[in-house]
Amino acid sequence: LREILCFPDPRLRLRADPVAEVDDSIRELVDDMFETMYAAPGIGLAATQINVQKRILVADVSEDQNEPYCLINPEILSRDGEEEMDEGCLSVPGFYERVRRAERIRVRALNRDGEPFELETGGLLAVCIQHEIDHLDGKLFVDYISNLKRTRIRKKLEKQAARDPGRGAR
Ligand SMILES: O=C(O)C[C@@H](Cc1ccccc1)[C@H](O)SCc1ccccc1
Ligand SMILES: [Zn+2]
């Protein structure tokens, strides 16, 4: 299990680098990310959140946690429509805010075996992938809300971290 960085940790603001070659060490990292995501529990996780600046995301929005997606060097090819939903984030625990994103996306990426594929999707998976790609660009869902709200969230999480420094490590 990997520690998940918490806002306002500046390392969450780093832009992740493309993966040059999908080798066994990348596959091991992907497996660690799935394990960390399912244990959180979460429906998505970006490598940035576990302090790895590589353009890798994992997602599984299925009820039975049996529809895993791994996108390496993801690129959104097209966006359609618009939808809003209350988003949470494993790096901003306990806070949910309405975020507007594209309703459907077409995305190209490499899979766990390093093969290119394209995915056209909507619904929660589309929202999740957009949320994770933001992480790879150093963006958080709190960047879409007002400064006042973001500051309040930052202060609450800083106070929590001061009270219970070990929480993130567990
Ligand atoms: O990237 C993360 O922190 C995991 C996010 C992914 C996500 C956020 C908003 C909308 C879709 C996906 C989640 O916080 S994982 C927790 C969760 C679990 C079930 C439903 C929504 C959020
Ligand atoms: Zn997140």
Side-chain angles (χ1 to χ4, degrees):
L1 282 188
R2 301 286 191 105
E3 179 193 348
I4 294 176
L5 300 179
C6 272
F7 176 72
D9 192 316
R11 293 170 292 182
L12 285 168
R13 297 311 191 171
L14 297 171
R15 180 177 172 71
D17 303 314
V19 170
E21 188 199 354
V22 180
D23 58 18
D24 289 346
S25 71
I26 295 291
R27 274 183 279 277
E28 199 174 317
L29 171 61
V30 166
D31 294 345
D32 280 357
M33 289 175 66
F34 273 116
E35 184 191 16
T36 302
M37 177 187 77
Y38 287 127
I43 55 177
L45 189 72
T48 307
Q49 294 179 273
I50 57 168
N51 192 27
V52 171
Q53 282 73 37
K54 292 182 191 303
R55 300 189 76 77
I56 304 171
L57 72 91
V58 294
D60 186 340
V61 300
S62 68
E63 285 296 309
D64 303 337
Q65 297 194 331
N66 57 357
E67 281 175 44
Y69 285 90
C70 166
L71 281 72
I72 297 171
N73 300 340
E75 286 170 77
I76 295 182
L77 301 175
S78 63
R79 292 174 173 80
D80 258 317
E82 196 174 280
E83 76 165 338
E84 277 193 1
M85 77 170 274
D86 284 333
E87 296 195 9
C89 181
L90 296 172
S91 295
V92 188
F95 297 91
Y96 296 84
E97 292 291 343
R98 209 135 191 77
V99 177
R100 226 186 7 253
R101 296 194 191 266
E103 184 179 10
R104 296 194 67 75
I105 58 170
R106 187 165 187 73
V107 61
R108 174 173 57 205
L110 301 179
N111 65 18
R112 197 177 167 286
D113 300 323
E115 294 148 359
F117 72 98
E118 282 189 18
L119 176 65
E120 209 268 329
T121 187
L124 188 52
L125 182 59
V127 172
C128 180
I129 289 172
Q130 292 173 80
H131 176 108
E132 303 311 334
I133 291 178
D134 269 359
H135 274 301
L136 300 179
D137 295 337
K139 257 176 101 71
L140 296 169
F141 81 93
V142 294
D143 299 339
Y144 297 99
I145 61 180
S146 70
N147 290 342
L148 178 71
K149 272 190 171 181
R150 186 169 47 255
T151 300
R152 276 204 194 124
I153 292 174
R154 181 171 51 75
K155 290 197 182 314
K156 283 185 186 158
L157 285 175
E158 280 170 343
K159 202 184 304 169
Q160 213 167 319
R163 247 199 333 269
D164 178 6
R167 196 198 71 79
R170 216 166 297 143

